[in-house]
Amino acid sequence: MTPKPRPTVILFDVNETLLDLAPLKTSVGKALGGREDLLPLWFSTMVHYSLVETLSDNYHGFGEIGTAALMMVAKNQGIDIQYEDAKEAIVTPLRSLPPHGDVIASLKSLSQNGYRIISLTNSSAVGVETQFKNAGLTDLFEKRFSVETVKKFKPHPAPYRMVLDDLGVEPNEVLMVAAHAWDLAGAKNVGLQTAFIARPGTSLYPNVERPDYVVSDLEELVRALK
């Protein structure tokens, strides 16, 4: 097998990969009457309907889909929740998530090692700008990309190709880093190198090619790339 070239760009997913969803779990749990165990169901429902919108040539922002998903989960659990309350439970904590403990030092190390540090998220452009500002990540990234530009959610090919076109790089020069197997499946489909960060509660998808790197945290990825 031909060894892969050293990537020049490291492309990061944001939610859960870089930012800790714990405050969101608390907020969603409170909105659902204390059912914090329903956060994974809410998150998967949100991702599901983002793909429904992409495949049906429709587009609402990730926050709007997240609010709708929370209302759907609540209804299926027999919990009454109003739209504005659902929106408040999602949008406010989502924009103030803290970075995981391994993030800031690892990003600085990767940058010092010559990698271009970029992000690509399903969140809106304004949303990720606020997230990065509140998490202290803004100055660590050369550029931020949102699927809002192409109005197609990951793992559709369009967002990844948007990044490649904008940066003027070849797919195998880019390493996509995410805690979500579906995101990496989309990146691999476009030809990007991939790295899976095994955040708590995440797992690989067995029916696609294994990522080029599988690590427990970003510190391990930094060591692997040195």
Side-chain angles (χ1 to χ4, degrees):
M1 180 181 295
T2 303
K4 291 186 177 295
R6 180 182 188 269
T8 60
V9 175
I10 303 186
L11 184 62
F12 286 92
D13 172 54
V14 177
N15 296 311
E16 198 162 26
T17 300
L18 297 177
L19 301 180
D20 188 351
L21 297 184
L24 191 59
K25 179 179 180 181
T26 301
S27 180
V28 168
K30 184 177 179 180
L32 294 174
R35 294 290 305 277
E36 292 189 5
D37 60 299
L38 292 174
L39 179 74
L41 176 60
W42 163 75
F43 194 83
S44 62
T45 302
M46 177 171 62
V47 172
H48 178 99
Y49 281 94
S50 73
L51 298 181
V52 168
E53 296 226 356
T54 293
L55 290 172
S56 59
D57 290 326
N58 198 5
Y59 181 82
H60 288 85
F62 213 39
E64 293 176 280
I65 297 173
T67 301
L70 181 56
M71 295 184 71
M72 294 169 73
V73 170
K75 183 175 182 179
N76 290 338
Q77 296 293 324
I79 300 168
D80 184 38
I81 184 171
Q82 300 302 310
Y83 179 86
E84 288 302 323
D85 294 330
K87 182 178 179 180
E88 180 68 18
I90 300 300
V91 175
T92 299
L94 187 62
R95 294 189 173 185
S96 300
L97 299 174
H100 287 290
D102 59 329
V103 168
I104 291 179
S106 296
L107 291 175
K108 288 180 178 178
S109 181
L110 290 169
S111 182
Q112 289 165 0
N113 287 333
Y115 295 103
R116 300 174 68 183
I117 307 301
I118 312 292
S119 67
L120 173 62
T121 178
N122 276 345
S123 295
S124 68
V126 171
V128 73
E129 179 182 6
T130 306
Q131 285 182 312
F132 273 26
K133 180 180 179 181
N134 291 336
L137 299 181
T138 302
D139 293 341
L140 300 177
F141 282 78
E142 175 185 333
K143 201 161 189 177
R144 298 183 302 269
F145 291 92
S146 166
V147 302
E148 185 177 35
T149 303
V150 292
K151 292 183 167 49
K152 300 288 185 184
F153 288 98
K154 295 184 293 178
H156 191 279
Y160 309 100
R161 289 174 177 157
M162 168 187 66
V163 174
L164 296 175
D165 292 343
D166 187 279
L167 298 179
V169 294
E170 295 298 319
N172 64 5
E173 295 179 68
V174 179
L175 174 65
M176 179 79 211
V177 180
H180 305 122
W182 50 264
D183 197 346
L184 298 181
K188 181 66 73 175
N189 177 54
V190 176
L192 277 60
Q193 297 186 51
T194 55
F196 177 72
I197 307 295
R199 298 299 188 195
T202 65
S203 58
L204 293 170
Y205 179 48
N207 288 343
V208 297
E209 182 181 349
R210 184 177 175 84
D212 301 290
Y213 303 88
V214 177
V215 296
S216 59
D217 56 30
L218 285 181
E219 293 173 350
E220 186 178 345
L221 182 62
V222 170
R223 293 193 294 271
L225 290 173
K226 280 187 175 178

